Amino acid sequence: SAGRTALIDCTWANLEPQWFDAFLSVLYDFDCYKPEFPHLTDIHVVKKNDEWNRELGELAQSYKWIYFARDMVNHPPGAKTPEGVASLIKERVETIPNITASVIAGEAIKEFDLIWRVGKGSPKNPPALLRIEYAPPNELANKKPLVLVGKGVLFDQGGVNAKTNDGDLATMKLDCSGAMDVAAVIAIAAELAIPLRIVAYMPFVVNMLSHEAGLPGDIGRLKDGTTVEISDTDAEGRLILIDTVAHAVLADSPELVLTLATLSGNTEGALGDLAAGVFTDTKSLWNMIEASAEYTEEHVAKFPMVRKTFDDLREKKDSAIPAELKNFCHSWPDGDPIRAACFVLFPAAKKGISAVNIDICGPAFIGRPLLWFPEGATGWGIRMLSEFLKRFAKERTKTPAPQSATDSS
């Protein structure tokens, strides 16, 4: 149905862009299922001068995609299927110049063994993988692409390791926030003509218990040949992410891999719902992410990620575990967020590729309006990552590529 357009007159006040940013955020309301309220789908800004034309125009442009990402998360899980969501996003982003997109589904998705094993428990909603590439025609700041990977679990019942808290189940549509945010980020980068080659991946699955579901103890294989034991089917996000990262490392030879996911509830336990955890030991990347987050007022906290953790992920040859890696171990001490981040980034670290995981388990979806964020999906990190890409492009025109995640101090 036709939506409504917000007409915002900014010619009469010296409004700071940060206040306008907050205003656009609180303007959002998920009212798609309230027919008496036409849904907000567009923003038109009457601006004050040329400088405002640039800043406010960019903000308004960005918030169209932030609204889109929030909507995609907020829609009921029963209204979304992996291939349907992937195709809808593909259709939407392909209207932007210099973007191409493709959907891997059906028999082809079985080449991604872990994605298939997670998604096969919902046979009527089989998994799909969306790939979006932005390749600007002008001179680029990077020769090798930046790869963004977003977790796209449309609903997470837990599989055989079923969730038991009904309250958790009621909000499990939030588990696709990373994927929706990544789709928005690459779309904004293209519309703002950021001079970076970027490849974004969004694996979409429904993690359900059924007679076809994968079992704890099953072993899958990444495209680089690494074997992974699925020791907990409710740690499915790290499975679809590591599978996608392994493919991207081989297919795209990236300069940087960045994953965005609602990955570990322990991160939310540590930081609450106003901050995300950043997992990297590449100082230059952390500094740039921190500065970007400060600019957009989206809070982040750095978690340590050291080489020993990567080494500890590998099962020893004489181990009773029959695979090289396992996605979860109930005997692990506290510190699962760090191990989860190292796990999903393992294929990149193994190749010496710089890597960052941003865990948005807390701020991605909130139970009540908070500051300038609405109840429900927040689109947290879209503004921050868009700013990060701008700064990355600017910095890369002056300095060499950052050190790898396993070699930097």
Side-chain angles (χ1 to χ4, degrees), residues 37-373:
F37 299 110
H39 190 52
L40 178 62
T41 57
D42 201 4
I43 305 166
H44 181 71
V45 180
V46 182
K47 310 174 193 77
K48 191 171 184 178
N49 53 46
D50 289 341
E51 182 62 17
W52 278 59
N53 278 340
R54 183 186 66 80
E55 289 196 70
L56 299 194
E58 286 187 3
L59 278 170
Q61 208 166 12
S62 297
Y63 265 95
K64 293 176 187 178
W65 286 103
I66 293 172
Y67 291 173
F68 174 74
R70 289 174 178 175
D71 282 350
M72 293 299 290
V73 176
N74 282 329
H75 277 296
K80 297 177 285 195
T81 65
E83 188 172 359
V85 166
S87 298
L88 188 152
I89 297 173
K90 175 181 181 292
E91 180 181 351
R92 180 80 175 256
V93 299
E94 283 185 328
T95 62
I96 306 171
N98 305 315
I99 273 190
T100 56
S102 58
V103 177
I104 301 171
E107 287 297 311
I109 197 63
K110 293 182 180 180
E111 295 179 12
F112 295 82
D113 194 25
L114 294 182
I115 294 175
W116 171 249
R117 288 175 183 275
V118 171
K120 70 176 184 174
S122 184
K124 292 185 178 180
N125 300 294
L129 177 66
L130 173 61
R131 182 185 188 274
I132 304 173
E133 180 169 355
Y134 164 54
N138 301 324
E139 185 176 350
L140 300 178
N142 61 328
K143 293 182 180 179
K144 295 183 176 182
L146 273 62
V147 164
L148 311 178
V149 182
K151 175 184 171 183
V153 180
L154 298 177
F155 184 75
D156 180 18
Q157 178 268 338
V160 174
N161 295 104
K163 297 181 185 298
T164 57
N165 188 317
D166 291 341
D168 286 345
L169 284 174
T171 58
M172 274 299 105
K173 62 184 180 180
L174 69 83
D175 230 7
C176 62
S177 299
M180 304 311 181
D181 292 358
V182 160
V185 168
I186 194 170
I188 292 168
E191 289 194 340
L192 299 184
I194 296 174
L196 290 171
R197 184 181 165 217
I198 306 169
V199 178
Y201 287 94
M202 289 129 279
F204 290 109
V205 299
V206 176
N207 186 30
M208 293 289 290
L209 171 61
S210 77
H211 67 286
E212 296 190 32
L215 302 175
D218 281 350
I219 295 176
R221 188 180 298 272
L222 304 179
K223 287 205 170 180
D224 64 6
T226 303
T227 54
V228 178
E229 182 185 76
I230 304 170
S231 51
D232 191 320
T233 62
D234 195 26
E236 81 297 329
R238 59 195 76 182
L239 293 172
I240 66 174
L241 290 173
I242 193 175
D243 207 4
T244 307
V245 169
H247 169 77
V249 166
L250 293 174
D252 300 296
S253 300
E255 174 181 332
L256 168 69
V257 173
L258 187 151
T259 54
L260 186 71
T262 47
L263 195 59
S264 174
N266 288 335
T267 305
E268 181 181 9
L271 301 177
D273 50 13
L274 274 179
V278 178
F279 299 77
T280 184
D281 64 354
T282 304
K283 285 187 176 180
S284 59
L285 291 174
W286 160 247
N287 291 339
M288 201 177 296
I289 290 171
E290 183 183 35
S292 302
E294 184 176 345
Y295 180 80
T296 61
E297 299 190 44
E298 292 169 294
H299 303 296
V300 293
K302 185 179 186 300
F303 281 67
M305 198 167 72
V306 295
R307 179 57 185 260
K308 186 179 186 303
T309 310
F310 284 105
D311 292 340
D312 286 347
L313 290 173
R314 291 181 180 272
E315 292 298 330
K316 306 299 185 287
K317 288 186 177 180
D318 58 352
S319 168
I321 304 300
E324 295 172 75
L325 303 174
K326 58 183 174 182
N327 72 324
F328 191 82
C329 179
H330 293 278
S331 64
W332 283 344
D334 292 340
D336 178 60
I338 298 171
R339 291 180 179 272
C342 290
F343 179 85
V344 302
L345 299 176
F346 185 84
K350 190 165 66 170
K351 293 291 187 180
I353 297 170
S354 294
V356 184
N357 175 68
I358 302 178
D359 193 336
I360 56 174
C361 199
F365 194 96
I366 54 179
R368 78 282 189 208
L370 191 60
L371 299 179
W372 49 88
F373 291 113

Side-chain angles (χ1 to χ4, degrees), residues 29-39:
D29 185 21
F30 185 67
D31 47 17
C32 295
Y33 297 89
K34 302 172 185 175
E36 67 272 23
F37 299 110
H39 190 52

